[in-house]
PDB file of all heavy atoms in Angstrom:
ATOM      1  N   ASP A  24    -188.475  64.794 138.343  1.00  0.00           N
ATOM      2  CA  ASP A  24    -188.743  66.247 138.634  1.00  0.00           C
ATOM      3  C   ASP A  24    -188.449  67.086 137.416  1.00  0.00           C
ATOM      4  O   ASP A  24    -189.240  67.969 137.179  1.00  0.00           O
ATOM      5  CB  ASP A  24    -187.822  66.634 139.847  1.00  0.00           C
ATOM      6  CG  ASP A  24    -188.031  68.128 140.237  1.00  0.00           C
ATOM      7  OD1 ASP A  24    -189.186  68.455 140.653  1.00  0.00           O
ATOM      8  OD2 ASP A  24    -187.104  68.909 140.001  1.00  0.00           O
ATOM      9  N   LEU A  25    -187.429  66.830 136.717  1.00  0.00           N
ATOM     10  CA  LEU A  25    -187.115  67.591 135.493  1.00  0.00           C
ATOM     11  C   LEU A  25    -188.267  67.364 134.456  1.00  0.00           C
ATOM     12  O   LEU A  25    -188.702  68.371 133.859  1.00  0.00           O
ATOM     13  CB  LEU A  25    -185.741  67.191 134.949  1.00  0.00           C
ATOM     14  CG  LEU A  25    -185.425  67.854 133.611  1.00  0.00           C
ATOM     15  CD1 LEU A  25    -185.438  69.360 133.691  1.00  0.00           C
ATOM     16  CD2 LEU A  25    -184.062  67.322 133.136  1.00  0.00           C
ATOM     17  N   GLU A  26    -188.633  66.152 134.239  1.00  0.00           N
ATOM     18  CA  GLU A  26    -189.697  65.882 133.283  1.00  0.00           C
ATOM     19  C   GLU A  26    -190.959  66.590 133.709  1.00  0.00           C
ATOM     20  O   GLU A  26    -191.781  67.062 132.863  1.00  0.00           O
ATOM     21  CB  GLU A  26    -189.903  64.363 133.095  1.00  0.00           C
ATOM     22  CG  GLU A  26    -190.848  64.069 131.946  1.00  0.00           C
ATOM     23  CD  GLU A  26    -190.781  62.626 131.573  1.00  0.00           C
ATOM     24  OE1 GLU A  26    -189.748  62.164 131.100  1.00  0.00           O
ATOM     25  OE2 GLU A  26    -191.855  61.930 131.685  1.00  0.00           O
ATOM     26  N   ARG A  27    -191.205  66.603 134.985  1.00  0.00           N
ATOM     27  CA  ARG A  27    -192.458  67.214 135.486  1.00  0.00           C
ATOM     28  C   ARG A  27    -192.451  68.745 135.205  1.00  0.00           C
ATOM     29  O   ARG A  27    -193.446  69.314 134.701  1.00  0.00           O
ATOM     30  CB  ARG A  27    -192.582  67.024 137.043  1.00  0.00           C
ATOM     31  CG  ARG A  27    -193.788  67.765 137.628  1.00  0.00           C
ATOM     32  CD  ARG A  27    -193.707  67.739 139.174  1.00  0.00           C
ATOM     33  NE  ARG A  27    -192.554  68.391 139.654  1.00  0.00           N
ATOM     34  CZ  ARG A  27    -192.377  69.714 139.676  1.00  0.00           C
ATOM     35  NH1 ARG A  27    -193.307  70.543 139.250  1.00  0.00           N
ATOM     36  NH2 ARG A  27    -191.278  70.278 140.223  1.00  0.00           N
ATOM     37  N   ARG A  28    -191.313  69.355 135.354  1.00  0.00           N
ATOM     38  CA  ARG A  28    -191.136  70.781 135.092  1.00  0.00           C
ATOM     39  C   ARG A  28    -191.259  71.009 133.583  1.00  0.00           C
ATOM     40  O   ARG A  28    -191.867  72.069 133.168  1.00  0.00           O
ATOM     41  CB  ARG A  28    -189.748  71.237 135.556  1.00  0.00           C
ATOM     42  CG  ARG A  28    -189.659  71.242 137.089  1.00  0.00           C
ATOM     43  CD  ARG A  28    -188.250  71.498 137.566  1.00  0.00           C
ATOM     44  NE  ARG A  28    -187.683  72.724 137.039  1.00  0.00           N
ATOM     45  CZ  ARG A  28    -186.416  73.006 136.762  1.00  0.00           C
ATOM     46  NH1 ARG A  28    -185.555  72.003 136.946  1.00  0.00           N
ATOM     47  NH2 ARG A  28    -186.053  74.114 136.349  1.00  0.00           N
ATOM     48  N   VAL A  29    -190.720  70.156 132.775  1.00  0.00           N
ATOM     49  CA  VAL A  29    -190.848  70.353 131.275  1.00  0.00           C
ATOM     50  C   VAL A  29    -192.297  70.151 130.833  1.00  0.00           C
ATOM     51  O   VAL A  29    -192.798  70.961 130.120  1.00  0.00           O
ATOM     52  CB  VAL A  29    -189.911  69.299 130.593  1.00  0.00           C
ATOM     53  CG1 VAL A  29    -190.266  69.352 129.042  1.00  0.00           C
ATOM     54  CG2 VAL A  29    -188.489  69.586 130.823  1.00  0.00           C
ATOM     55  N   ARG A  30    -192.967  69.166 131.490  1.00  0.00           N
ATOM     56  CA  ARG A  30    -194.430  68.971 131.161  1.00  0.00           C
ATOM     57  C   ARG A  30    -195.249  70.215 131.583  1.00  0.00           C
ATOM     58  O   ARG A  30    -196.172  70.553 130.857  1.00  0.00           O
ATOM     59  CB  ARG A  30    -194.925  67.690 131.882  1.00  0.00           C
ATOM     60  CG  ARG A  30    -194.430  66.421 131.240  1.00  0.00           C
ATOM     61  CD  ARG A  30    -195.115  65.191 131.897  1.00  0.00           C
ATOM     62  NE  ARG A  30    -194.624  63.974 131.252  1.00  0.00           N
ATOM     63  CZ  ARG A  30    -195.119  63.457 130.120  1.00  0.00           C
ATOM     64  NH1 ARG A  30    -196.068  64.074 129.459  1.00  0.00           N
ATOM     65  NH2 ARG A  30    -194.572  62.399 129.663  1.00  0.00           N
ATOM     66  N   GLU A  31    -194.905  70.802 132.701  1.00  0.00           N
ATOM     67  CA  GLU A  31    -195.556  72.005 133.175  1.00  0.00           C
ATOM     68  C   GLU A  31    -195.439  73.107 132.089  1.00  0.00           C
ATOM     69  O   GLU A  31    -196.406  73.802 131.803  1.00  0.00           O
ATOM     70  CB  GLU A  31    -195.108  72.374 134.460  1.00  0.00           C
ATOM     71  CG  GLU A  31    -195.891  73.496 135.070  1.00  0.00           C
ATOM     72  CD  GLU A  31    -195.530  73.878 136.483  1.00  0.00           C
ATOM     73  OE1 GLU A  31    -194.604  73.152 137.025  1.00  0.00           O
ATOM     74  OE2 GLU A  31    -196.022  74.932 137.040  1.00  0.00           O
ATOM     75  N   GLU A  32    -194.189  73.324 131.628  1.00  0.00           N
ATOM     76  CA  GLU A  32    -193.962  74.332 130.599  1.00  0.00           C
ATOM     77  C   GLU A  32    -194.784  74.067 129.327  1.00  0.00           C
ATOM     78  O   GLU A  32    -195.436  74.987 128.788  1.00  0.00           O
ATOM     79  CB  GLU A  32    -192.492  74.417 130.261  1.00  0.00           C
ATOM     80  CG  GLU A  32    -191.600  75.080 131.246  1.00  0.00           C
ATOM     81  CD  GLU A  32    -191.687  76.529 131.256  1.00  0.00           C
ATOM     82  OE1 GLU A  32    -192.242  77.159 130.240  1.00  0.00           O
ATOM     83  OE2 GLU A  32    -191.179  77.231 132.078  1.00  0.00           O
ATOM     84  N   VAL A  33    -194.789  72.792 128.980  1.00  0.00           N
ATOM     85  CA  VAL A  33    -195.503  72.408 127.708  1.00  0.00           C
ATOM     86  C   VAL A  33    -197.045  72.615 127.938  1.00  0.00           C
ATOM     87  O   VAL A  33    -197.698  73.006 126.951  1.00  0.00           O
ATOM     88  CB  VAL A  33    -195.193  70.936 127.355  1.00  0.00           C
ATOM     89  CG1 VAL A  33    -196.114  70.417 126.309  1.00  0.00           C
ATOM     90  CG2 VAL A  33    -193.714  70.842 126.911  1.00  0.00           C
ATOM     91  N   SER A  34    -197.562  72.328 129.137  1.00  0.00           N
ATOM     92  CA  SER A  34    -198.912  72.448 129.330  1.00  0.00           C
ATOM     93  C   SER A  34    -199.494  73.831 129.253  1.00  0.00           C
ATOM     94  O   SER A  34    -200.671  74.048 128.944  1.00  0.00           O
ATOM     95  CB  SER A  34    -199.262  71.852 130.713  1.00  0.00           C
ATOM     96  OG  SER A  34    -198.797  72.706 131.728  1.00  0.00           O
ATOM     97  N   HIS A  35    -198.622  74.793 129.506  1.00  0.00           N
ATOM     98  CA  HIS A  35    -199.046  76.208 129.454  1.00  0.00           C
ATOM     99  C   HIS A  35    -198.827  76.793 128.019  1.00  0.00           C
ATOM    100  O   HIS A  35    -199.223  77.977 127.736  1.00  0.00           O
ATOM    101  CB  HIS A  35    -198.214  77.100 130.393  1.00  0.00           C
ATOM    102  CG  HIS A  35    -198.524  76.707 131.873  1.00  0.00           C
ATOM    103  ND1 HIS A  35    -197.538  76.530 132.794  1.00  0.00           N
ATOM    104  CD2 HIS A  35    -199.704  76.449 132.496  1.00  0.00           C
ATOM    105  CE1 HIS A  35    -198.156  76.222 133.995  1.00  0.00           C
ATOM    106  NE2 HIS A  35    -199.435  76.138 133.839  1.00  0.00           N
ATOM    107  N   PHE A  36    -198.259  76.072 127.158  1.00  0.00           N
ATOM    108  CA  PHE A  36    -197.954  76.563 125.736  1.00  0.00           C
ATOM    109  C   PHE A  36    -199.160  76.547 124.939  1.00  0.00           C
ATOM    110  O   PHE A  36    -199.955  75.663 124.926  1.00  0.00           O
ATOM    111  CB  PHE A  36    -196.835  75.629 125.126  1.00  0.00           C
ATOM    112  CG  PHE A  36    -196.499  75.997 123.726  1.00  0.00           C
ATOM    113  CD1 PHE A  36    -195.900  77.194 123.465  1.00  0.00           C
ATOM    114  CD2 PHE A  36    -196.796  75.148 122.732  1.00  0.00           C
ATOM    115  CE1 PHE A  36    -195.551  77.551 122.193  1.00  0.00           C
ATOM    116  CE2 PHE A  36    -196.447  75.479 121.446  1.00  0.00           C
ATOM    117  CZ  PHE A  36    -195.874  76.655 121.114  1.00  0.00           C
ATOM    118  N   GLN A  37    -199.297  77.702 124.187  1.00  0.00           N
ATOM    119  CA  GLN A  37    -200.470  77.823 123.286  1.00  0.00           C
ATOM    120  C   GLN A  37    -200.219  77.188 121.967  1.00  0.00           C
ATOM    121  O   GLN A  37    -199.843  77.836 121.014  1.00  0.00           O
ATOM    122  CB  GLN A  37    -200.729  79.332 123.117  1.00  0.00           C
ATOM    123  CG  GLN A  37    -201.150  80.018 124.379  1.00  0.00           C
ATOM    124  CD  GLN A  37    -202.415  79.445 125.017  1.00  0.00           C
ATOM    125  OE1 GLN A  37    -203.450  79.447 124.432  1.00  0.00           O
ATOM    126  NE2 GLN A  37    -202.249  79.003 126.258  1.00  0.00           N
ATOM    127  N   GLY A  38    -200.369  75.899 121.927  1.00  0.00           N
ATOM    128  CA  GLY A  38    -200.116  75.006 120.766  1.00  0.00           C
ATOM    129  C   GLY A  38    -199.776  73.655 121.246  1.00  0.00           C
ATOM    130  O   GLY A  38    -199.999  73.317 122.487  1.00  0.00           O
ATOM    131  N   THR A  39    -199.218  72.854 120.374  1.00  0.00           N
ATOM    132  CA  THR A  39    -198.767  71.463 120.729  1.00  0.00           C
ATOM    133  C   THR A  39    -197.281  71.405 120.670  1.00  0.00           C
ATOM    134  O   THR A  39    -196.704  71.862 119.660  1.00  0.00           O
ATOM    135  CB  THR A  39    -199.399  70.417 119.756  1.00  0.00           C
ATOM    136  OG1 THR A  39    -200.786  70.490 119.846  1.00  0.00           O
ATOM    137  CG2 THR A  39    -198.913  68.988 120.158  1.00  0.00           C
ATOM    138  N   MET A  40    -196.683  70.987 121.766  1.00  0.00           N
ATOM    139  CA  MET A  40    -195.218  70.914 121.840  1.00  0.00           C
ATOM    140  C   MET A  40    -194.765  69.534 122.222  1.00  0.00           C
ATOM    141  O   MET A  40    -195.362  68.870 123.118  1.00  0.00           O
ATOM    142  CB  MET A  40    -194.623  71.924 122.772  1.00  0.00           C
ATOM    143  CG  MET A  40    -193.161  72.001 122.879  1.00  0.00           C
ATOM    144  SD  MET A  40    -192.492  73.380 123.806  1.00  0.00           S
ATOM    145  CE  MET A  40    -192.675  74.710 122.649  1.00  0.00           C
ATOM    146  N   GLY A  41    -193.697  68.982 121.665  1.00  0.00           N
ATOM    147  CA  GLY A  41    -193.016  67.813 122.061  1.00  0.00           C
ATOM    148  C   GLY A  41    -191.588  67.968 122.344  1.00  0.00           C
ATOM    149  O   GLY A  41    -190.920  68.809 121.706  1.00  0.00           O
TER     150      GLY A  41
END
Side-chain angles (χ1 to χ4, degrees):
D24 179 63
L25 175 59
E26 187 166 298
R27 178 190 60 75
R28 292 168 59 210
V29 171
R30 286 185 181 278
E31 185 175 357
E32 285 282 348
V33 169
S34 71
H35 294 133
F36 176 67
Q37 297 299 300
T39 301
M40 182 173 280

